[in-house]
Amino acid sequence: MLDTKGTKVKGGSFIIDDVEASSVVIPEDFVEEQRMMMETTRDFVEGEVVPHDEEIEKLNYELTVKLIRKAGELGLLGSDVPEEYGGLGLDKVSSTLINETLAQASSFALSVGAHVGIGTLPIVFFGTPEQKRKYLPALAAGELIAAYCLTEPTSGSDALGAKTTAKLSEDGQHYILNGSKIFITNAGFADIFIVYAKVDGKDFTTFIVEREMEGFTVGPEEKKMGIKGSSTCPIFFEDVKVPVENVLGEIGRGHVIAFNILNIGRFKLGAGCLGAAKEAIELSSKYANIRTQFGKPISAFPLIGKKLAEMNIRTYVTESMVYRTSGLIDASMKDIDQNRPDSGQLLAKSIAEYALECSINKVFASEVLDFVADEGVQIHGGYGFTQEYKIERIYRDSRINRIFEGTNEINRLLIPGTLVKKAMKGELPLMQKAQGLQAELMQLVPGQTFEGTLEHETHLLSMAKKVFLMIGGLAVQKYAMELEKQQEVLSNLADVMILIYAMESALLRTRKIISKAGEGKAANAIEMTKVYVHEAFDDVGRFAKEALATMESGDVLRTQLSILKKLTRNTPIDAVAVKRGIAARVIGAEKYIV
C-alpha cells in the first residue's frame, strides 16, 4: 500500500503516522472477480461440505480427502500458488476472501487452511524450481495434501528448541532424521510434510518429507476439545532417509522459513476467525427472533440486543483490520517479478514487513471470535450447550485459535518487540517521535468541541497514539535492553497498539464508505465506529495506567498519571442508545451487517 506521498507503507508505521482513508483496502472495494471467487467458495461449502458435516466431524479421512480434491478442482487450493506451477496466483485480498468464506466449513476449513497455508507456502516461497515443479501442481490440485511440522513435545512456543535431528549420510545423498513432532494438522492423511530438524543437532533446517519414506510413522489421533473433524496426530522419524534435494531453503536457515510462514499463518487465521464470527452472528440473531419468552421473541429484550450489537461491532472492526492488512501485503508484493529465481524469498520478505500487523490480526480476531461465540451460546441459553445447535461447536472450535500459530501471549510480546527492533534499525523514527512529544505533554490539553462526522473519534485516535508514545518511550528509556524481560509492560504496550490499529482500521474504513456512498448509507458503520472507538479509548487509558504504575512510583508516578489524565480526557457518548439502533438492524437482517 502506498501512502499519500506514493511510497510504500512501512510495517508498524501506523503507530506514529496518520493514514489517508483512500489508501486502505476495504471489503466495499471488492471487484467482480473477487466476489465471484467468494461465491464459488460459498457454493462449494454449502453444496459439498455442509451436507456431510456430521460425517466430517466423525473424522472420516476418506471423505475429507475427497472434498479437498474437489476444492482443488475448483481452484480453491491454488490461490497462493503461481500460475506457472498450476495455481491461480491470486492477490492476497482474494485469497483472504476465500479463507474467510471457507470458515463455515468448520473442521474441514482447518484441514484446507493447513494445506494451502503453512503446508504449501513454504515450497511456494522457498522451494527450488525443481521442488516447485515436483510438488506445487499436485498440491494446488489437491492430488497431494500437505502438513506443517514444527511443534515437539518439549518445544512449542520455543520452536528453536527442537530436538529432532538430521545427520548427513556417509555417501552425502541423504539426511537421516530422528525425532518426533506433535499436534500435526492433517497428519492422518497428508502426503507431504514440511519438517524442521537440527542438522548435527545445531543447524535448524527445513525438509520436505514424503509419507512413504521408510522409518516415517504417524501416531494415533489426539482426542480434542474442538475441531474434531480435523486430523491431529504425532509423527515419528526413525532413521528416515530424506534426499539432500529435499532440503528446503538453506542449511541452518530454517528459522527464516518457520517465522515467515507463521506470519502468513497468523494473518490467515484472522480471516478464518472473521468468517466464523459472521456465522455465529447469523445463527444467534435468527435464534433470538424465533425463541419466545414472556410472550415475545428474546430479540425484543434490550440485553439480548446489546449482545448482538456488540458482536456485530467487534466483527466489523475485525473485518476492517483483516482487509486493510491484506491490502498492505498486496501492495508490498505488487512490484516483485515472479520470474526472478529469488521471487519466493522476496514475497516472504514483503509479508515479513507486516509481521507486527499479522500478529495484531491474529490476537484481535481470535479474541473477538471467542467473545462472539461465547455471547452466541448465551443467547441460545441451554440449547447453546447442546450439540443440536451449531453455536456449541463454534464455541469449542474457537478456543484453539488463541493457541494456534504462536499463543496470544507470545504474539503480545512480539508486537512491541518487533516495533522496537524496527526503531533500533532506523526503519521507524519511534524514539524521535516519543522525544518530540515530551514538550507537548507538559502543556495543558484544552477542551475541544467536535462538529464533523467522526471528528471526535479521530481526535481520540490521535490521543491514543500519543498515549502509546508516552508509555512506550518511557519503557524504552527505563529498561533499554532489559525491556524484553518486562513481559507485563510489553503486554500493556501490545494491547494499546492492538487497540490503535483496530480503532484506526474502523475509522479509515468508515470514512472511505462515506466518501463512496455518503453518510446516509454509512449510518450503521458510523455508529459502530463511534461506539468502538470510545470504548477502546477507555481501554487504552486503563492499560497505560497499569503500565505507568509498573514503571514509576511516588511523585514521578503522580506526575505521569496527571499527564495521562489530560491525554485521556473524554466526554462519553450514549452508547446504550447507539447500540440499540445497531441491534435493531442486526435483528432485522438476521445476519452480520455493515
Side-chain angles (χ1 to χ4, degrees):
M1 186 173 298
L2 303 180
D3 61 18
T4 53
K5 297 176 182 176
T7 56
K8 286 186 178 178
V9 175
K10 288 186 175 293
S13 62
F14 70 90
I15 206 72
I16 54 176
D17 292 335
D18 292 328
V19 181
E20 290 292 329
S22 59
S23 71
V24 299
V25 171
I26 62 174
E28 291 72 21
D29 292 332
F30 292 159
V31 297
E32 186 61 29
E33 291 84 352
Q34 291 167 332
R35 295 186 188 280
M36 285 175 61
M37 286 303 302
M38 178 179 68
E39 290 303 321
T40 299
T41 308
R42 180 175 291 134
D43 290 346
F44 169 70
V45 171
E46 293 178 353
E48 302 284 353
V49 182
V50 173
H52 302 291
D53 187 61
E54 286 190 28
E55 192 62 29
I56 292 170
E57 284 299 295
K58 293 175 184 175
L59 202 55
N60 184 325
Y61 286 180
E62 186 178 346
L63 176 59
T64 296
V65 170
K66 178 183 174 184
L67 289 172
I68 288 175
R69 290 191 173 136
K70 279 194 175 182
E73 291 170 9
L74 292 171
L76 302 181
L77 306 182
S79 60
D80 293 313
V81 176
E83 291 183 71
E84 65 179 299
Y85 298 111
L88 299 179
L90 298 181
D91 56 273
K92 281 292 166 283
V93 173
S94 297
S95 64
T96 301
L97 194 51
I98 292 171
N99 207 50
E100 179 202 324
T101 309
L102 273 171
Q104 189 183 346
S106 303
S107 296
F108 179 75
L110 176 62
S111 301
V112 171
H115 166 73
V116 302
I118 56 179
T120 299
L121 287 180
I123 300 176
V124 171
F125 291 150
F126 297 97
T128 63
E130 293 74 22
Q131 290 169 341
K132 291 177 181 180
R133 283 194 291 270
K134 180 177 181 180
Y135 295 112
L136 289 182
L139 290 169
E143 294 163 5
L144 293 177
I145 297 172
Y148 184 80
C149 314
L150 181 61
T151 304
E152 296 189 5
T154 60
S155 62
S157 297
D158 180 19
L160 298 184
K163 297 290 192 292
T164 298
T165 61
K167 188 175 181 61
L168 189 63
S169 62
E170 289 185 7
D171 61 7
Q173 298 300 304
H174 298 85
Y175 279 95
I176 313 300
L177 268 60
N178 282 283
S180 64
K181 302 287 180 179
I182 59 170
F183 306 144
I184 306 306
T185 301
N186 290 351
F189 49 76
D191 307 286
I192 302 297
F193 297 79
I194 305 300
V195 177
Y196 295 87
K198 287 184 175 177
V199 174
D200 297 329
K202 63 179 189 301
D203 293 323
F204 194 70
T205 305
T206 315
F207 298 87
I208 303 172
V209 177
E210 298 179 13
R211 189 182 194 90
E212 301 307 316
M213 289 178 177
E214 189 176 348
F216 174 82
T217 56
V218 178
E221 287 285 346
E222 301 287 354
K223 298 185 185 301
K224 307 189 293 285
M225 176 195 299
I227 53 170
K228 291 180 179 290
S230 66
S231 173
T232 309
C233 308
I235 59 175
F236 304 94
F237 311 94
E238 187 175 350
D239 293 333
V240 177
K241 296 170 69 175
V242 180
V244 292
E245 57 266 28
N246 278 32
V247 170
L248 189 60
E250 301 173 37
I251 299 295
R253 300 282 290 171
H255 62 286
V256 175
I257 300 176
F259 297 150
N260 274 290
I261 295 306
L262 284 174
N263 286 332
I264 199 69
R266 287 163 183 156
F267 169 69
K268 284 178 173 285
L269 184 144
C273 289
L274 170 62
K278 288 183 180 179
E279 183 181 12
I281 291 169
E282 183 169 345
L283 293 171
S284 301
S285 56
K286 286 180 176 177
Y287 180 84
N289 276 339
I290 61 171
R291 174 67 168 166
T292 59
Q293 293 288 279
F294 307 105
K296 55 185 176 181
I298 64 172
S299 61
F301 295 104
L303 287 183
I304 297 297
K306 179 175 182 284
K307 291 181 186 297
L308 290 168
E310 290 175 346
M311 293 158 72
N312 204 84
I313 291 165
R314 296 193 197 191
T315 302
Y316 175 76
V317 177
T318 304
E319 186 176 48
S320 305
M321 297 164 72
V322 164
Y323 286 101
R324 175 187 181 182
T325 308
S326 69
L328 287 169
I329 295 171
D330 264 342
S332 182
M333 291 180 163
K334 182 169 63 74
D335 297 328
I336 296 173
D337 181 0
Q338 300 282 340
N339 296 316
R340 287 183 54 159
D342 62 344
S343 63
Q345 292 95 313
L346 292 173
L347 290 170
K349 186 177 179 181
S350 67
I351 294 170
E353 174 66 29
Y354 302 107
L356 187 157
E357 285 83 355
C358 289
S359 287
I360 285 176
N361 274 268
K362 191 270 184 188
V363 173
F364 189 86
S366 63
E367 292 179 2
V368 163
L369 177 56
D370 264 4
F371 169 81
V372 170
D374 185 76
E375 291 287 54
V377 169
Q378 196 70 12
I379 290 169
H380 281 75
Y383 288 112
F385 206 68
T386 68
Q387 293 184 11
E388 181 182 353
Y389 289 81
K390 191 179 179 182
I391 195 69
E392 178 267 350
R393 191 201 307 169
I394 292 175
Y395 179 87
R396 284 186 294 103
D397 287 354
S398 170
R399 187 59 185 85
I400 189 60
N401 293 306
R402 282 160 52 203
I403 299 171
F404 267 164
E405 313 296 356
T407 65
N408 283 13
E409 289 74 21
I410 287 292
N411 276 281
R412 276 187 163 89
L413 298 180
L414 288 172
I415 291 165
T418 302
L419 185 72
V420 171
K421 285 178 183 174
K422 280 178 167 286
M424 295 301 184
K425 291 178 181 177
E427 295 176 13
L428 290 175
L430 181 66
M431 295 313 297
Q432 295 92 316
K433 291 277 188 178
Q435 289 163 4
L437 187 66
Q438 292 303 314
E440 184 181 342
L441 291 179
M442 299 309 294
Q443 299 173 6
L444 286 173
V445 179
Q448 291 183 269
T449 56
F450 306 98
E451 295 180 0
T453 303
L454 297 178
E455 277 191 16
H456 187 177
E457 291 68 35
T458 301
H459 169 73
L460 295 182
L461 173 63
S462 176
M463 291 298 104
K465 291 186 180 186
K466 286 181 170 62
V467 169
F468 175 80
L469 288 174
M470 173 190 172
I471 60 172
L474 182 62
V476 173
Q477 187 177 20
K478 183 177 182 66
Y479 299 115
M481 301 307 293
E482 296 292 304
L483 178 58
E484 65 180 25
K485 297 179 182 177
Q486 306 300 321
Q487 293 194 349
E488 297 90 344
V489 172
L490 285 172
S491 181
N492 289 144
L493 293 173
D495 282 320
V496 173
M497 290 180 69
I498 291 167
L499 289 168
I500 288 171
Y501 194 70
M503 293 162 70
E504 186 172 68
S505 297
L507 268 166
L508 293 171
R509 178 184 183 185
T510 303
R511 284 195 177 281
K512 193 169 184 180
I513 293 173
I514 292 170
S515 71
K516 290 164 73 83
E519 288 192 22
K521 293 189 177 180
N524 198 56
I526 290 169
E527 291 191 350
M528 289 191 291
T529 302
K530 283 183 176 180
V531 171
Y532 183 77
V533 170
H534 279 267
E535 293 185 347
F537 188 69
D538 288 342
D539 287 336
V540 166
R542 179 169 57 85
F543 289 126
K545 189 174 182 179
E546 184 176 298
L548 288 175
T550 303
M551 294 187 284
E552 303 291 4
S553 62
D555 289 342
V556 175
L557 174 60
R558 282 185 282 274
T559 300
Q560 296 287 2
L561 289 175
S562 175
I563 296 170
L564 177 64
K565 187 176 181 179
K566 287 187 285 187
L567 286 174
T568 55
R569 184 181 295 141
N570 182 39
T571 302
I573 61 171
D574 182 358
V576 170
V578 178
K579 286 180 183 178
R580 283 193 175 192
I582 297 166
R585 297 179 195 111
V586 176
I587 290 164
E590 291 193 334
K591 63 179 182 179
Y592 165 75
I593 59 167
V594 174

